Amino acid sequence: MNKSEAWTLKDLVSLEKLSREEIDTIHHMAAHFKQTLGRRQKKLPSLRGKTVVNLFLEPSTRTRTAFEMAAKRLSADVISISQSASSLVKGESLRDTALNIQALNADLLVIRHSAAGAAEYLSERLEIPVINAGDGAHEHPTQALLDTFTLREKFTPEGAEQLSDLSGRKITILGDILFSRVARSNIYAMQKLGAKVTLAGPKTLVPKSFEAFGVEVSHNLQEALADADAVMLLRIQRERMNAAYFPSIGEYTSMFGLNQERASLLKPDAIIMHPGPINRGVEIDSTIADGQRSVILDQVTNGVLCRMAVLLLTASAAGTKAKGSI
Ligand code: CP
């Protein structure tokens, strides 16, 4: 495969701006990495001599580690910077911090920030690729890429040469949609791949206004779960709330938490997803999180492959000399 196939973007700031062809390019590259990188060959030389800087100004376990592993598997050097260890705490602006990272000869910048639009803002001011690792409640594009890759893998018949898309699939996203960047990115990605998306949860966290995204909004859990091919649970993002959106966590769990009884409404072979971090006993029962139908840890593993593809494609589009082709 030619790695620039259907890819000209220097930056990855949102799923809203990606075409179906660009999503396919990332997924096909991730699938190729999965097939070829194993016990014998763990690394590719593609970004040797390049430096990826991870600027994470909000906490992260999965995304930050997966970006570090992805960069290392492409033979890049990686430097990770957190809010407390940066000069942002001394009053430096985000723009100046990023310009200094570029002046230090970084080749790619991965940014997580609490403000919606932070990644796009930097992408317009830097020459190097900027990759959005989550900006406030706006978007988390690489999360949606790994989620939809995981869905496609699970729905592709054994022995098929190409990944299936999501045509005809009903996917329910259940939980705190209002504050979720994961939900927004997944709505775009899932629909572009042909899925019918239903958003479910309390009225305060799943307002009808989301219908403008072309999705179904349901406050009836039974209806939302019935015949779904997959359900994605989202945690309550209390760190983004400045008011009470439901009476108590206990009440949320009793009305919207996914337990065995509610999971039995799904199709028998439906898959259960969560971007993490999971709050066991709140939005998801432990027996479901650890059960046979859960693909939560597959999502995490696939995150490295999709982020390898994103790093390689954006670096190539920016003219960063990537070695070899896949
Ligand atoms: N899913 C996700 O973004 O997890 P982290 O916050 O741990 O990166």
Side-chain angles (χ1 to χ4, degrees), residues 58-80:
E58 270 193 336
S60 169
T61 298
R62 279 149 291 272
T63 313
R64 176 172 158 168
T65 310
F67 267 113
E68 286 187 19
M69 292 183 96
K72 285 179 179 170
R73 289 202 187 155
L74 293 168
S75 303
D77 297 318
V78 193
I79 295 168
S80 290

Side-chain angles (χ1 to χ4, degrees), residues 97-207:
T97 298
L99 286 172
N100 277 270
I101 289 169
Q102 181 171 263
L104 286 163
N105 275 335
D107 295 287
L108 295 102
L109 179 68
V110 180
I111 168 97
R112 171 168 286 194
H113 200 283
S114 59
E120 185 157 20
Y121 171 83
L122 291 184
S123 72
E124 289 162 356
R125 285 158 182 81
L126 298 188
E127 284 165 26
I128 60 174
V130 174
I131 297 161
N132 184 3
D135 60 331
H138 174 229
E139 279 226 37
H140 192 348
T142 58
Q143 180 68 45
L145 287 164
L146 73 91
D147 291 336
T148 47
F149 178 75
T150 305
L151 282 162
R152 294 180 80 170
E153 262 195 328
K154 299 293 169 191
F155 294 145
T156 299
E158 219 169 306
E161 285 196 359
Q162 287 289 326
L163 284 171
S164 298
D165 69 8
L166 304 180
S167 297
R169 301 290 180 175
K170 173 178 170 179
I171 301 171
T172 294
I173 307 179
L174 167 61
D176 171 2
I177 309 290
L178 188 62
F179 293 98
S180 176
R181 55 195 177 205
V182 174
R184 280 173 185 75
S185 289
N186 263 306
I187 290 168
Y188 292 124
M190 289 170 180
Q191 288 186 326
K192 284 177 193 202
L193 291 165
K196 184 173 163 292
V197 178
T198 299
L199 306 179
K203 284 182 184 162
T204 48
L205 293 176
V206 193

Side-chain angles (χ1 to χ4, degrees), residues 5-286:
E5 183 187 333
W7 193 275
T8 55
L9 301 172
K10 169 181 89 73
D11 310 292
L12 177 63
V13 296
S14 74
L15 240 302
E16 185 180 11
K17 291 187 176 175
L18 282 197
S19 66
R20 160 70 195 259
E21 290 69 30
E22 286 159 346
I23 296 172
D24 279 340
T25 298
I26 293 169
H27 285 168
H28 292 150
M29 193 177 274
H32 177 84
F33 287 143
K34 194 162 207 169
Q35 276 169 10
T36 54
L37 288 177
R39 289 210 179 113
R40 293 177 63 183
Q41 193 194 6
K42 280 208 161 78
K43 287 178 92 164
L44 294 170
S46 313
L47 293 183
R48 184 172 293 151
K50 305 300 164 196
T51 303
V52 177
V53 172
N54 275 338
L55 181 59
F56 272 64
L57 306 178
E58 270 193 336
S60 169
T61 298
R62 279 149 291 272
T63 313
R64 176 172 158 168
T65 310
F67 267 113
E68 286 187 19
M69 292 183 96
K72 285 179 179 170
R73 289 202 187 155
L74 293 168
S75 303
D77 297 318
V78 193
I79 295 168
S80 290
I81 307 171
S82 62
Q83 167 94 12
S84 59
S86 77
S87 287
L88 286 155
V89 293
K90 300 181 206 162
E92 187 170 58
S93 70
L94 177 64
R95 175 177 174 274
D96 283 331
T97 298
L99 286 172
N100 277 270
I101 289 169
Q102 181 171 263
L104 286 163
N105 275 335
D107 295 287
L108 295 102
L109 179 68
V110 180
I111 168 97
R112 171 168 286 194
H113 200 283
S114 59
E120 185 157 20
Y121 171 83
L122 291 184
S123 72
E124 289 162 356
R125 285 158 182 81
L126 298 188
E127 284 165 26
I128 60 174
V130 174
I131 297 161
N132 184 3
D135 60 331
H138 174 229
E139 279 226 37
H140 192 348
T142 58
Q143 180 68 45
L145 287 164
L146 73 91
D147 291 336
T148 47
F149 178 75
T150 305
L151 282 162
R152 294 180 80 170
E153 262 195 328
K154 299 293 169 191
F155 294 145
T156 299
E158 219 169 306
E161 285 196 359
Q162 287 289 326
L163 284 171
S164 298
D165 69 8
L166 304 180
S167 297
R169 301 290 180 175
K170 173 178 170 179
I171 301 171
T172 294
I173 307 179
L174 167 61
D176 171 2
I177 309 290
L178 188 62
F179 293 98
S180 176
R181 55 195 177 205
V182 174
R184 280 173 185 75
S185 289
N186 263 306
I187 290 168
Y188 292 124
M190 289 170 180
Q191 288 186 326
K192 284 177 193 202
L193 291 165
K196 184 173 163 292
V197 178
T198 299
L199 306 179
K203 284 182 184 162
T204 48
L205 293 176
V206 193
K208 280 277 181 196
S209 56
F210 272 90
E211 284 174 350
F213 285 81
V215 298
E216 193 169 305
V217 169
S218 174
H219 304 116
N220 177 330
L221 196 48
Q222 204 153 344
E223 264 174 27
L225 296 179
D227 297 329
D229 293 288
V231 59
M232 175 180 288
L233 288 317
L234 297 177
R235 77 182 169 91
I236 304 296
Q237 303 207 43
R238 275 179 281 191
E239 72 274 23
R240 298 194 204 287
M241 292 179 183
N242 53 12
Y245 285 80
F246 45 86
S248 69
I249 286 289
E251 189 150 333
Y252 177 85
T253 304
S254 73
M255 295 195 64
F256 293 101
L258 193 68
N259 53 27
Q260 291 287 359
E261 190 187 334
R262 289 178 179 147
S264 69
L265 297 168
L266 299 160
K267 283 186 179 166
D269 58 351
I271 63 175
I272 292 164
M273 312 181 78
H274 196 311
I278 64 173
N279 287 167
R280 287 174 185 267
V282 180
E283 73 275 8
I284 187 165
D285 194 86
S286 267

